[in-house]
Every structure is written in structure tokens, then in C-alpha cells.
Amino acid sequence: MSFTLCLLQAVAFLDLFAVGLVIPLVPSHVRKMGANHIYVGLLGSIYAGWQLGSGPLIGSLSDLKGRKTILIMTLLICSVAYMLMGFTNSIFFILFIRAVLGICKQTQMLTKALVPDYERNEEKQSAIYGRMSAISGGGITLGPIIGGHILEDNPEGGFTFISLIVGICFIINAGLVYFLPKPSRRAAKRKHSDQVVISKNLISSFYTSIKQSFVEMYKVQWSLYWDVFILKALVGFAMGVYYSNYALYLKTQFDLTPKYIGYVISFQGVVGSVSSFFMGYINSFYHSDNDYSQRNFHVFLFMSISLLGLIVSFNVYMYIVWLVPLAIGNAIGRLVTLEMVLKRSHGEHRGTLIGASNSVRSLSGVVAPMVAGLIGQFVGISYVVYASLFSTTLGLIMSYHYRNKRIKAD
């Protein structure tokens, strides 16, 4: 593996490690400041809502101005935002910071978009994406443990200290991205006959960039990708609903303490990371699955069976066993939809499409907690998982239809 790809994987790991340090601590920090549960819920909804709109925009800017340049800029903005979060005593300012992070926190999307600039082989790209997800998954698993220990040892100034560490991590990441070599040639060679000369004036330059980004999005043939986005939305919604009441479900159903809930969460994260790491090996069993229909069918089948198992689990050990296929299906499903977008785009508008794909996931992140909250409030916490099962069942039916359609065509 080249040094460049190792740098990209290091950036992906450090990004989620830094996020894992602070994000699990934000709700309790805001509660200590006097916020109610509505504000705590807004923290997630505001972030996901801004991610929804900013994904395609940042992706288009990266297509126009260079992925490396845009990634460095967003990393530095995120660094400042996280540092400020540790020093403010205003709940509304924290909500504003979450909006800024929702716009600029696109590290995972941009690092994935950079991979084809340094590796042209599609099969190798798949293996790289799998390793990248596995390594970054290790970061998000390790971060909360370290962050929790720091806060427990320093209950007064611990959150501020952690925010500084997170800010420094993002600055280090910006430095790592700076040392990435310039791609030898652009993955997509597009003719911009209407290219506008950028003014030296900063405001004019920004306005022109935004305008070009919308032009770039208009050029994309979105009808070619609607099925991919629907499948991604179904996976995102199912897991979003499931995770929204994950800890509360374990506590109410199995009477687990927070420590053991953390062990269960880490176990699922490890299984997902291992599955992502072996994505290249898993793909080797699907040589004839050129349109990914068979892989999608297996992903939704795995997840649906797993959710059914979780519903009928009568103890925590049985529950943990059924978590394995769910974690595998979720990890592989996210990577399969990414590969579908990249293969269909043929390099054209890659950043825009990956950004739009992330926005679909963000839309699920906005809607899923609301649905989970309504079901938990009016029906019961044990029935929330049925919404996830409904989503994966729809995905199973849809992928089965496309699989049969492909078989008949062959």
C-alpha cells in the first residue's frame, strides 16, 4: 500500500477518534448547563439537517476547487468550532456550533472521494474503502472510552480539555492532508467552456464557487442514482431508529448498567469494523454481481433476520448474538451503496454524488430520531425496533425485485 493511502486512512481514523472523544459527552454537558431534552434532541437534528444540505455543496466545491484544498479548509473550521464548544457557556451558541459542524464536517466523504485520485483499480478501491472504514471504526470505538475516562478524572474542566484535544486532532489532520501529493491527473476530464475567471476578491470568489457548485449539481443525471439513494436511505433509517433508543432499550429490557451498555456498543463497533476491513475479501465472492443487486439482497436479508432475532431475544446473551449479523449487514451495506455510486459515475461529479449520498444518510438522521421518539412515547420503547424491521423489509423487497430483474435479463 502506498504512503499516500496510509495518510488517507490515518486522517479517517483520527477524524472519528476525535469525534468519538467529545460527541458522546455533549448531551450530558448541555444538560449540566440547564438544557432540557428538547435542546439535547436538537443537537443531533441540527447537525444532521445541515449535513443534508451541505453534502452535495461541499462535494461540488471539491470537484471544482480540488478535494485536498476543500478538505484542509473544512478541517481547520471544524478545529476552531470544537475548541469554541469547550469554552462557551451558551446553549444557543453550542447549537450554532453544531450547525457549523454540520456544514463543514465532511472529512469521511472527502477522504473517500480522494481515494480514486490515487488508486485507479476499482477492485483495489473496494478493499481500500473497507480498510478505511475498519480503521476509522476503531477510532470511533476507542474515542468514547478515552473521553469518558478524562471526564471522570476531571469533572470540572474535563470537557474543555477534551474540546482542545479534539481541535488539535483536526489541526493535525489538516497537516496530514497538506502533505498528500498532487494527483498525477484528474480522475474526470471535463470541459468547462463556460469557466469563469475567479476574482481576487474573496467575496466574489466565494459567490462564484457557490454558483459553479449549483451548476455542477445541475449537470448530474440524478435519475441514474435514485435506487441507490433509496437503498441508502432505508439502511440509514433502520439503523438511525435502532440507535436512537439503543441504550434505553438495553436498560429497560435487560436492566444493564451504563458500563455494560458500553461493552455491548463496543462489541457491535468491533464487528462492524472487522466486516469493513474484509470488504475486499467479501467482494471476491460476488464476481458476477456487477450491478450489486445480489449484495444488496444479502445485506437486507441479514439485517431483517437480525432485527427479528433482536425482537424475540429473551436475554442479553441472545441479543448480542443477533447483533453480529446486524453489524455485518450495516457495515457492508454502507460500503456497497458507496461503490454503486462510484461505479455508475465513472469519475464524473464524484464529489457531488458522494456528498448527495451522505445527505441521504443525514436526512435519515433527521427523521429517524423523531419516529423513534414518537413510537417510544406513545407505543412503547420495545416497539421501536419494529420501525427498523419495516425499513429493512422494504429494502429486502426492493433488492429482491432488482435481483430477479437482473436474472431474467441474463
Side-chain angles (χ1 to χ4, degrees):
M1 186 192 303
S2 70
F3 176 71
T4 301
L5 296 176
C6 287
L7 270 182
L8 282 176
Q9 291 177 2
V11 170
F13 169 82
L14 193 57
D15 173 66
L16 288 189
F17 171 75
V19 170
L21 280 173
V22 70
I23 292 303
L25 308 176
V26 173
S28 59
H29 177 69
V30 173
R31 286 284 292 165
K32 287 180 181 178
M33 294 169 62
N36 57 31
H37 289 289
I38 295 175
Y39 286 110
V40 174
L42 280 173
L43 289 171
S45 295
I46 287 175
Y47 178 83
W50 282 102
Q51 283 261 302
L52 174 65
S54 66
L57 183 61
I58 297 295
S60 296
L61 280 172
S62 73
D63 286 337
L64 290 165
K65 304 302 175 187
R67 282 171 265 280
K68 179 179 172 181
T69 302
I70 297 300
L71 181 53
I72 291 173
M73 288 176 59
T74 55
L75 285 169
L76 292 176
I77 293 171
C78 288
S79 171
V80 174
Y82 277 116
M83 287 183 179
L84 289 174
M85 187 185 291
F87 287 95
T88 183
N89 292 318
S90 170
I91 296 170
F92 295 104
F93 190 62
I94 289 180
L95 291 174
F96 171 74
I97 289 173
R98 289 294 287 165
V100 172
L101 291 171
I103 296 170
C104 298
K105 175 64 180 65
Q106 303 287 352
T107 312
Q108 298 297 312
M109 179 266 286
L110 291 172
T111 52
K112 287 181 174 67
L114 274 166
V115 169
D117 287 342
Y118 301 105
E119 178 55 66
R120 306 296 175 189
N121 188 296
E122 287 187 1
E123 291 185 4
K124 290 183 179 180
Q125 287 175 17
S126 176
I128 291 167
Y129 289 133
R131 284 195 295 269
M132 189 177 290
S133 293
I135 291 169
S136 58
I140 199 66
T141 303
L142 185 63
I145 299 172
I146 296 175
H149 277 285
I150 294 173
L151 190 64
E152 189 173 333
D153 294 337
N154 304 278
E156 295 301 322
F159 187 82
T160 301
F161 181 63
I162 291 169
S163 298
L164 286 173
I165 294 175
V166 172
I168 292 169
C169 287
F170 275 86
I171 291 173
I172 293 172
N173 255 355
L176 293 176
V177 174
Y178 178 79
F179 286 108
L180 287 173
K182 186 177 180 181
S184 56
R185 62 183 178 88
R186 294 186 64 86
K189 296 181 179 179
R190 299 184 298 273
K191 294 182 179 180
H192 296 283
S193 58
D194 56 346
Q195 185 76 22
V196 181
V197 178
I198 305 298
S199 169
K200 292 182 180 179
N201 183 277
L202 183 61
I203 297 176
S204 175
S205 176
F206 179 76
Y207 171 77
T208 306
S209 297
I210 297 297
K211 184 179 178 181
Q212 286 180 318
S213 294
F214 280 104
V215 171
E216 191 80 5
M217 285 189 277
Y218 180 76
K219 293 177 182 177
V220 178
Q221 291 181 281
W222 297 103
S223 59
L224 298 176
Y225 306 94
W226 69 270
D227 55 330
V228 184
F229 292 147
I230 289 177
L231 291 172
K232 190 172 186 68
L234 290 172
V235 172
F237 178 81
M239 297 309 297
V241 169
Y242 170 73
Y243 280 124
S244 293
N245 288 280
Y246 186 42
L248 186 58
Y249 182 85
L250 289 173
K251 183 178 180 180
T252 55
Q253 295 296 112
F254 305 115
D255 198 28
L256 292 187
T257 63
K259 180 175 72 173
Y260 288 104
I261 291 173
Y263 288 144
V264 175
I265 294 172
S266 295
F267 172 75
Q268 188 168 0
V270 168
V271 173
S273 296
V274 171
S275 303
S276 299
F277 187 82
F278 287 102
M279 188 64 192
Y281 176 74
I282 293 170
N283 279 338
S284 66
F285 292 97
Y286 295 93
H287 287 300
S288 60
D289 187 29
N290 296 321
D291 62 352
Y292 296 88
S293 59
Q294 189 174 359
R295 268 167 284 192
N296 275 309
F297 177 72
H298 289 165
V299 163
F300 283 105
L301 182 63
F302 256 57
M303 295 180 72
S304 297
I305 293 173
S306 178
L307 288 167
L308 275 173
L310 295 178
I311 290 170
V312 300
S313 295
F314 52 83
N315 61 46
V316 70
Y317 301 106
M318 187 176 178
Y319 186 91
I320 290 172
V321 169
W322 286 112
L323 280 180
V324 175
L326 183 66
I328 293 172
N330 180 39
I332 296 175
R334 286 186 286 109
L335 290 172
V336 166
T337 51
L338 172 66
E339 290 176 25
M340 289 175 73
V341 168
L342 292 173
K343 186 169 184 177
R344 292 190 190 183
S345 66
H346 302 290
E348 290 288 335
H349 314 291
R350 190 197 315 141
T352 305
L353 288 165
I354 295 178
S357 180
N358 282 1
S359 290
V360 170
R361 184 187 63 192
S362 297
L363 178 60
S364 301
V366 174
V367 176
M370 299 178 188
V371 173
L374 288 171
I375 295 173
Q377 180 70 27
F378 296 106
V379 183
I381 194 72
S382 60
Y383 292 94
V384 172
V385 70
Y386 284 93
S388 296
L389 179 60
F390 177 73
S391 180
T392 58
T393 303
L394 285 179
L396 183 64
I397 294 170
M398 183 176 172
S399 55
Y400 180 77
H401 169 73
Y402 277 103
R403 181 169 171 265
N404 282 354
K405 189 176 179 181
R406 191 203 70 174
I407 292 173
K408 289 178 181 178
D410 293 341

